[in-house]
């Protein structure tokens, strides 16, 4: 499962509404792709559809879609939102990552 913190949920709801998505029907798609300074990087976007290759979760009012191959890298992850002085943005707290880069946008296992 992938969890969503309270701060991330609030920001996602706000952003989805601003972008014309319906929080009750649409999804936050999270995934992993090759690249970044540590080998793998995170992806996050809004989506209106899911496929048969997706795992779907709901946490804190947010419906999450993850491709099965990305899920293996993300199981147990908590999506958080940081709005502090060190920068704003979503943060993936991934217990599977053995190394992350300084910006927090990529990782390795």
């Amino acid at each position: 499962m992938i969890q969503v913190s309270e701060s991330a949920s609030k920001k996602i709801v706000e952003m989805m509404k601003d972008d014309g998505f319906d929080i009750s029907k649409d999804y936050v798609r999270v995934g992993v792709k090759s690249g970044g300074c540590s080998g793998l990087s995170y992806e996050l976007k809004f989506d209106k559809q899911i496929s048969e290759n997706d795992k779907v979760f709901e946490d804190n009012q947010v419906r999450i879609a993850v491709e099965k191959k990305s899920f293996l890298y993300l199981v147990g992850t908590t999506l958080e939102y940081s709005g502090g002085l060190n920068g704003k943005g979503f943060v993936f707290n991934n217990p599977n990552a053995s190394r992350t880069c300084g910006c927090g946008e990529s990782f390795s296992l």
Side-chain angles (χ1 to χ4, degrees):
M1 179 167 173
I2 295 173
Q3 297 180 321
V4 180
S5 73
E6 187 72 30
S7 61
S9 174
K10 288 178 183 177
K11 190 63 176 176
I12 287 168
V13 169
E14 175 187 321
M15 290 175 70
M16 285 183 87
K17 286 180 183 176
D18 289 347
D19 288 354
F21 288 88
D22 183 344
I23 190 72
S24 67
K25 291 192 274 184
D26 298 327
Y27 301 87
V28 173
R29 180 168 296 283
V30 294
V32 172
K33 66 179 181 178
S34 295
C37 49
S38 292
L40 298 168
S41 61
Y42 298 108
E43 292 183 302
L44 184 133
K45 64 182 179 179
F46 303 137
D47 203 339
K48 292 185 178 284
Q49 299 177 16
I50 58 169
S51 77
E52 62 186 39
N53 293 324
D54 289 333
K55 287 191 166 277
V56 177
F57 306 95
E58 187 167 338
D59 190 42
N60 261 340
Q61 298 179 304
V62 176
R63 293 163 39 118
I64 303 162
V66 185
E67 266 190 294
K68 289 179 183 175
K69 63 182 179 179
S70 288
F71 179 70
L72 298 173
Y73 298 105
L74 296 172
V75 65
T77 295
T78 301
L79 180 60
E80 299 193 26
Y81 182 79
S82 173
L85 295 174
N86 291 336
K88 292 183 179 181
F90 290 98
V91 177
F92 289 82
N93 285 326
N94 186 344
N96 306 305
S98 62
R99 187 181 63 179
T100 59
C101 67
C103 66
E105 292 180 11
S106 68
F107 69 101
S108 65
L109 300 177

